[in-house]
């Protein structure tokens, strides 16, 4: 079974721009969560979607948003990029009724 | 912000020894506990999940949970150089929002 896939793998953007990251979960997984990983803050929860609905949201500004499609694929968007948004963005998927999350390879975002 | 605390290490153990990784958490309502392994430049990989007090074994790995002490640990028996990585403890109060510790760096020396 194929794992979680994320595109693009690497991205360089300029401060003030916006960016959209994509995630395809493991087949059959309907819950998709997003995390930000930085050396200073570690792994931090952004939000979680199930059946196209956001069920949980972390403590991030409104510039961070996401959505989920009917095929469970998910996107996250960051608007008005700041230098501090440079991070590894990780997507994880889960089966319904289990909280075990399986991570994709991540998207490395660099904001200059 | 509820805390998940781990010793950053590095924890150095000789090949073949038992590595013991520890994690404490502050939210008594925590229900689900996970250990992830992350190699440098890679994404986290799920090793173990544990939901009730006691021990859970899977191959060379044993997870231990003590909710009264708010403590979860991971033992790695017969440690191998390939086990050298950062080990992340993750805790969930409810649902899928995981709260991660900063991780413990493990170095297994030949």
């Amino acid at each position: 079974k194929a794992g979680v896939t994320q595109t693009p793998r690497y991205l360089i953007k300029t401060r003030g721009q916006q960016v959209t990251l994509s995630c395809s979960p493991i087949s059959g997984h309907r819950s998709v969560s997003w995390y930000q990983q930085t050396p200073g803050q570690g792994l931090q929860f952004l939000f979680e979607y199930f059946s196209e609905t956001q069920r949980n949201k972390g403590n991030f500004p409104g510039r961070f948003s996401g959505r989920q499609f009917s095929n469970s694929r998910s996107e996250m968007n960051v608007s008005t990029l700041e230098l501090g948004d440079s991070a590894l963005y990780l997507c994880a998927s889960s089966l319904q009724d289990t909280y075990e999350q399986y991570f994709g390879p991540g998207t490395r975002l660099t904001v200059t | 912000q509820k805390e998940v605390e781990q010793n950053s290490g590095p924890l150095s153990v000789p090949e073949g020894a038992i590595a013991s990784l520890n994690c404490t958490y502050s939210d008594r309502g925590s229900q689900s506990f996970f250990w992830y392994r992350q190699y440098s430049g890679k994404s986290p990989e799920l090793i173990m999940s544990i939901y009730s007090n006691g021990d859970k074994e899977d191959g060379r790995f044993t997870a231990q949970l003590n909710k009264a002490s708010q403590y979860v640990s991971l033992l790695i028996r017969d440690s191998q150089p390939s086990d050298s990585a950062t080990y992340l403890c993750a805790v969930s109060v409810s649902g899928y929002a995981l709260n991660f510790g900063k991780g413990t760096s493990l170095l297994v020396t030949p």
Side-chain angles (χ1 to χ4, degrees), chain B residues 1-8 20-35 50 64-74 87-93 98-104:
Chain B
Q1 173 71 9
K2 304 300 183 181
E3 299 289 335
V4 178
E5 300 286 347
Q6 295 182 255
N7 189 319
S8 61
S20 178
L21 304 162
N22 304 315
C23 171
T24 59
Y25 59 94
S26 62
D27 191 333
R28 285 196 170 274
S30 299
Q31 297 291 324
S32 307
F33 307 85
F34 307 90
W35 284 99
I50 187 166
Q64 300 174 316
L65 175 62
N66 184 325
K67 289 186 178 181
S69 300
Q70 296 177 242
Y71 176 94
V72 58
S73 66
L74 179 70
Y87 288 80
L88 299 164
C89 173
V91 175
S92 172
V93 173
L98 294 182
N99 191 8
F100 281 84
K102 296 284 182 69
T104 297

Side-chain angles (χ1 to χ4, degrees), chain B residues 33-65:
Chain B
F33 307 85
F34 307 90
W35 284 99
Y36 286 83
R37 177 174 63 196
Q38 187 171 26
Y39 293 110
S40 180
K42 301 294 185 181
S43 61
E45 172 193 8
L46 180 65
I47 299 174
M48 295 282 289
S49 60
I50 187 166
Y51 302 98
S52 55
N53 282 330
D55 294 359
K56 179 181 178 182
E57 186 175 319
D58 184 0
R60 296 187 296 114
F61 300 97
T62 299
Q64 300 174 316
L65 175 62

